[in-house]
Each structure stands twice: as structure tokens, then as C-alpha cells.
Amino acid sequence: MSGDATGTTSHDTEHDPYDQVFVLLGWAWDVALAARAATRYPVTYANVSDIGALGALIRIDAEHAETVDLSRPLLAVPLPDVGTPIVIDGWHRIHKARQTGIAELPVVFLNADDERACRLMGGGVKRRR
């Protein structure tokens, strides 16, 4: 459920798929909170090559990736002071799309206010206990 240098998420299929935290290089986001916020946004589509640019930093379980639903939208948030979106839920879907030649995936982009609301640490935010 957490990590340090590489992006990690939990993917226990016994639980809610959004009951997880995404951690990347000292930053962390509450995916469940982001998923609730995502219901207020439209689903759009993004190029897998563009949205998955940080893929080399993400730890992927290839067996799990084979089982994911590519119709479920990715969740992405803008990085503070950069604005570049980062996927906080959906890296296994990105991996599967790449493996199967899918060029676009559905995605929901949250705004900066919702990104901050679901950020647990990083960017000047201390780890919540």
C-alpha cells in the first residue's frame, strides 16, 4: 500500500478497488478520496504514451495487470507548481494497454483543489497520522 522510490498501490481484489494510497517519491494521495471527487468530473480520453510517461518509476504486478478492466477510467491529478497531470490510479491499466496495443484510455482529471484535498504528503505537506 505504500512505497518509497517507486510508485505503488494496493490491488487486493477482495476490497474496494479505490481503497488504496498511491505513493511516488515522497508524495502520496488518498485514491478513495480522489475517486469520490472524480464523480464530479467528465470522463475524457488520454493517449497512453503521454499519460503513462512516468511508467518506468512504477512497480507493476504483471499477473494483476492481465485482470484489470480497461474501461474503468484512470484517475489523474495535476502536480503542484507544474500542472502536469500524474496518474494516481490506473498504472496496471496503462501497462495492460501498452501490452495489448491500446492507444487511449478513459481518464478523469481532477483540478488542483481536489488534488490538494486528496494529497496525504509531499509538496510541503507532512505525513498525516
Side-chain angles (χ1 to χ4, degrees), residues 43-52 74 76 85 87 94 97 102-109:
V43 175
T44 60
Y45 285 81
N47 182 289
V48 171
S49 295
D50 294 339
I51 197 74
L74 309 172
V87 173
I94 290 170
I102 304 293
E104 289 188 331
L105 288 174
V107 60
V108 174
F109 292 99

Side-chain angles (χ1 to χ4, degrees), residues 46-49 70 92-105:
N47 182 289
V48 171
S49 295
L70 295 182
H92 287 86
R93 282 168 268 156
I94 290 170
H95 177 82
K96 182 177 180 177
R98 286 180 171 153
Q99 297 300 309
T100 59
I102 304 293
E104 289 188 331
L105 288 174

Side-chain angles (χ1 to χ4, degrees), residues 4-80:
D4 43 37
T6 58
T8 60
T9 60
S10 66
H11 57 260
D12 185 343
T13 55
E14 299 284 325
H15 298 96
D16 180 339
Y18 292 120
D19 184 21
Q20 58 187 310
V21 170
F22 177 73
V23 177
L24 180 67
L25 301 172
W27 292 64
W29 292 268
D30 181 327
V31 176
L33 188 57
R36 286 192 296 275
T39 63
R40 300 189 307 268
Y41 295 87
V43 175
T44 60
Y45 285 81
N47 182 289
V48 171
S49 295
D50 294 339
I51 197 74
L54 294 176
L57 298 175
I58 308 300
R59 191 176 324 149
I60 297 294
D61 176 340
E63 285 184 30
H64 172 67
E66 292 177 10
T67 69
V68 297
D69 177 3
L70 295 182
S71 69
R72 192 171 122 217
L74 309 172
L75 294 177
V77 297
L79 285 177

